[in-house]
Amino acid sequence: MFEPWGILVILILCPLLGGLPLIAWITYALKRKQLSQVGTGNISVSAAFYHGGKIVGILAVLSEAFKGVAAVLLSRIFFPDGSSWELLALIALVIGRYWIGRGAGTTNVVWGFVVHDPLVAIFVSFFAGIAFTILQSRKLVKFGVLLLFPLFVALLHFSDIPRIFAAVALAGLMGWIYTKIPDDMKLPAQEAQTESQAMLEFLRGERTMVSLDEELNAAIVGEKAATLSQIKRWGYPVPKGWVLAPIDNPEGLTEFLQPSELSPLVVRSSAIGEDSEQASAAGQYETVVNVTSQEALKEAIAQVQASYNHPSAIQYRRDRGLNDTAMAVLIQQQVQSVYSGVAFSRDPITQQGDAIIIEALPGSATQVVSGKITPEQYRAFVVETENSYSVQLEGQGRVPQSLIKQVAYLTYRLEKRYHGTPQDIEWSYDGQTLWVLQSRPITTLLPMWTRKIAAEVIPGVIHPLTWSINRPLTCGVWGEFFTLVLGDRALGLDFAKTATLHYSRAYFNASLLGDIFLRMGLPPESLEFLTRGAKLSKPSLQSTWENLPGLGKLLKRELSLEKDFKEDYHNRFIPGLSQLAQEDIDSLEPPSLLARIDFILELLRHGTYYSILAPLSAALRQAIFRVKDKQIDHSVTPEVAALRSLSAIATDAKQVLLEFEPQQVFEQLKQTPEGEKILQAFNELLQDYGYLSEVGTDISVPTWRENPQMIQQMFVQLMQGNEPQSGAKDAINSIFAGKRKRSFVQRRVDIKGRVTEVYSRLLAELRWSFVALEKIWLESGLLRQTGDIFFLNFDEVRRLIGDEDSSLIEQLDKLVEFRRSQFLQDSEIIQIPLLVYGNTPPHPLAPSELYSDQILQGIGASHGQAEGRVKVLRNLQDIPDIDRDTILVVPYTDSGWAPLLLRAGGLIAEAGGRLSHGAIVAREYGIPAVMDVRGATWILQDGQRVRIDGSRGIVELSNDLRPE
């Protein structure tokens, strides 16, 4: 009696289980849609994906899989495993699914058969997958499977006749249902839920194009389509679109899309290489709008494809050295524009400032880009804080101001998404949504050159000789360093373009360095982290995995940094410096001086590697171990050590000379034995640190040994001044009273200090060699005045020593005079932009983009608040009297500036960040400091009263704004 009851249960429960409308309930619960009233009326898995989206579809699959598995397991309660009754249970389930549940039951059968006979299921799935990949026809594969699975059942279970008949019956029933029930896969994929479109197109088996919802490869579909795909996946509004790759047949495309008067399409070019950083190809290829029929769509596609071979387009590619590739075609739903326009995230004319340039008109965007109609023009400035943003607007017109502000913020965000690369954006507004139609780099503003890094590494105005030596060292070592890390991924990178001069100042190639860091798998804001203390986000797992070999090499170098430097320090640098110190430089002839210079440069090449890796290692370790700045001891850094020693000697001198005349301090000290000891200590300090200069990386700047006047003045001012603030004193005592924490971070900071010492000593020896050479040439009449040699480059110096270029000798006076004149003109430029766009920047403009006339914003670099009178100090030629009421305003800080900070009340710098020299010293002595205040030396005036907040990075102009 057990088996008859089993038959009865199967025949009753399985049809009821099949008819249970789980899919309909899920779709209604999540999307409030009645599947029976939309589309084909089917209540199926494909309908769930089509009308409900991915989540609904996945839940539908799980519910139907549960039914199929449940039917098979139910039969096993009454019959042996693998019996024909399991297939009969599936047949009963499918009948109920079709008659009651209004579905085909494909998912039920697939998962039920996996449980019933996994081996047959594996074979059928394998052959079906191969067939679909080759045939790309869902219909053929669907009916082919109905023939395959009974065949495999017969082959594997040839003695089980009931099982074979049951398999044939199940296949026949499924085939009959397929002919009776409408197929949801035949509905237009573009009308489905967005996240399901790509899958539905694929399952249709008729796919001849890809959707903008997918991740696209620019090498296949062009930059325009790939960029819009990326922007769309970021969540910005981009009109629905599909891409016809160059090799695709457009026939299936025109059948897939159904343009009409109510739903027109626009057909656009997306050539390989178009809209790239190398070439925009703006206006070179066709765009066809208002495509309203399938015939017109075919013609538009052909027209756009043909435009790739227009004579003007061919000439454009030739002029820019671009290879001929291919044309992909982008088809999008046309926006019914109320207002449209273009926006540039940076002003392409002035190439400076933060202004966003917007051109707009009522109607379509083609009017604006055509150049036939003069659009309305606006300038916008976006100020963003952690929780809000504001937009200031210049310009008025017919386009609503609120919309222009929305465009400005969209443009601002897209530029940030592309790591600061200036963007040319085409947009359109249909009355409800602001659509992005295009975004591409502004090629005339590339590459981007940043002063943020260079202002710390190579500050100030730079002479030609200094640059001709520093640039190969910097670019060469960066190239070697990153080639080691990147390996094959370094292909295509031109490290010779790592740095350049604008306005006789050094700038680093931010575009190149950004590309390098991205190839290394580091976050795009890595440069900001190293130079401005920005938060460093975690790199993606995929990026990290792809770059793991390179990052492993970097880690290996970082871990061996201390061992490698110590080895080079004892075996290379110390012997080299000792050899240089023993030479009588004044007795050497030009060829010997050239040999000495080449020897120093070889040592500098090795030192430059450490000067890059040591600060990088220290900064990364500090971030990883979350060590606060105040816990780090910088006493190994030469300028910090020199300042501390000078302060100690001045304290001793005050005890010897209770009363003194500032102009006669050194003469008065000579009059007593105690004073003689003070002078001896001062001279020893000058001997120990005489290699330092105002700008440590500029060999044209005299060293302290050559020009001790500045140190002497600081010594006297320290004797006149008060003790450091109590907070600073406590901090110093806590750090230097044997309580330093010898951590992973501290060891790297110590190495950084020793590297700085070695590098500074080598540069000083290099300078003294050139000065000795210049002295010889001044005596011979080859040069006219002191300092002329620094207006030559190193190659010219080498040629002059070899006496192999008579034309150079003839033109030498004019050449030096021209360069001196250009140098002096550049020196008079006060406001230097932090970022320069393109290779031919215009003359810097005076700052006009202050968002408040009472507050300047910078980077908080040293905690605390201070109020005082401004003293603008652009160089160290004339050191003013400084006290606690003085707020120093400087263009940058380097080793030479450090002694000034001891007596100042606060510091404002135009360049620099939390890791700059000024910030380090300011923190040690408890002096509030604000760095990176743009235009500070131009905006602020001597005597002007200001209040600074070193925690928030704020400079507030008090009510007393008139200079004294």
Side-chain angles (χ1 to χ4, degrees), residues 469-722:
I469 289 173
N470 282 359
R471 183 175 180 273
L473 283 173
T474 303
C475 296
V477 174
W478 272 108
E480 293 175 13
F481 180 74
F482 286 120
T483 299
L484 172 71
V485 174
L486 292 170
D488 293 341
R489 286 185 296 279
L491 295 175
L493 296 174
D494 188 355
F495 295 107
K497 297 179 179 178
T498 302
T500 193
L501 284 185
H502 293 301
Y503 322 114
S504 294
R505 274 86 166 182
Y507 284 80
F508 283 177
N509 190 332
S511 300
L512 175 63
L513 294 179
D515 190 8
I516 290 170
F517 278 113
L518 287 174
R519 294 189 188 198
M520 288 174 61
L522 297 175
E525 69 272 18
S526 297
L527 291 179
E528 288 287 299
F529 161 71
L530 291 174
T531 58
R532 301 183 56 154
K535 291 183 179 179
L536 187 64
S537 64
K538 295 180 180 179
S540 67
L541 183 61
Q542 179 182 357
S543 174
T544 303
W545 177 260
E546 291 173 352
N547 293 278
L548 199 57
L551 293 174
K553 292 179 181 178
L554 175 63
L555 178 61
K556 182 179 179 182
R557 288 286 175 143
E558 196 279 336
L559 293 174
S560 65
L561 173 63
E562 186 172 2
K563 178 180 71 69
D564 293 342
F565 177 71
K566 284 182 178 179
E567 183 177 336
D568 274 341
Y569 184 80
H570 292 291
N571 299 334
R572 190 190 304 271
F573 296 128
I574 294 300
L577 286 168
S578 298
Q579 176 183 329
L580 293 169
Q582 292 170 7
E583 288 183 338
D584 183 6
I585 192 171
D586 292 326
S587 66
L588 298 178
E589 294 297 318
S592 299
L593 286 172
L594 180 60
R596 175 186 170 92
I597 290 169
D598 286 334
F599 175 72
I600 296 171
L601 290 177
E602 182 60 29
L603 291 175
L604 281 171
R605 288 188 185 94
H606 292 279
T608 304
Y609 167 79
Y610 294 109
S611 72
I612 291 173
L613 187 56
L616 174 67
S617 172
L620 289 173
R621 287 193 174 206
Q622 184 178 356
I624 292 171
F625 293 104
R626 297 181 179 180
V627 176
K628 296 180 180 179
D629 295 322
K630 64 182 181 181
Q631 296 176 299
I632 297 176
D633 171 17
H634 293 277
S635 61
V636 178
T637 304
E639 53 265 32
V640 174
L643 173 61
R644 190 169 297 115
S645 298
L646 188 66
S647 178
I649 296 172
T651 301
D652 293 340
K654 287 169 63 176
Q655 296 176 358
V656 173
L657 297 180
L658 300 179
E659 295 182 2
F660 58 88
E661 290 293 329
Q663 304 300 326
Q664 303 295 323
V665 166
F666 287 89
E667 285 74 12
Q668 290 179 269
L669 286 172
K670 291 180 181 178
Q671 297 173 6
T672 64
E674 292 81 3
E676 286 286 352
K677 292 181 180 179
I678 297 295
L679 290 178
Q680 182 179 355
F682 179 86
N683 290 329
E684 288 176 355
L685 180 145
L686 194 59
Q687 183 68 27
D688 291 339
Y689 298 102
Y691 59 87
L692 295 175
S693 69
E694 176 186 337
V695 183
T697 54
D698 189 348
I699 61 171
S700 68
V701 178
T703 61
W704 290 358
R705 190 179 80 176
E706 298 169 80
N707 182 21
Q709 182 180 2
M710 187 192 74
I711 300 301
Q712 291 172 349
Q713 289 180 1
M714 280 307 309
F715 178 72
V716 173
Q717 289 189 4
L718 286 171
M719 290 182 63
Q720 291 176 302
N722 298 321

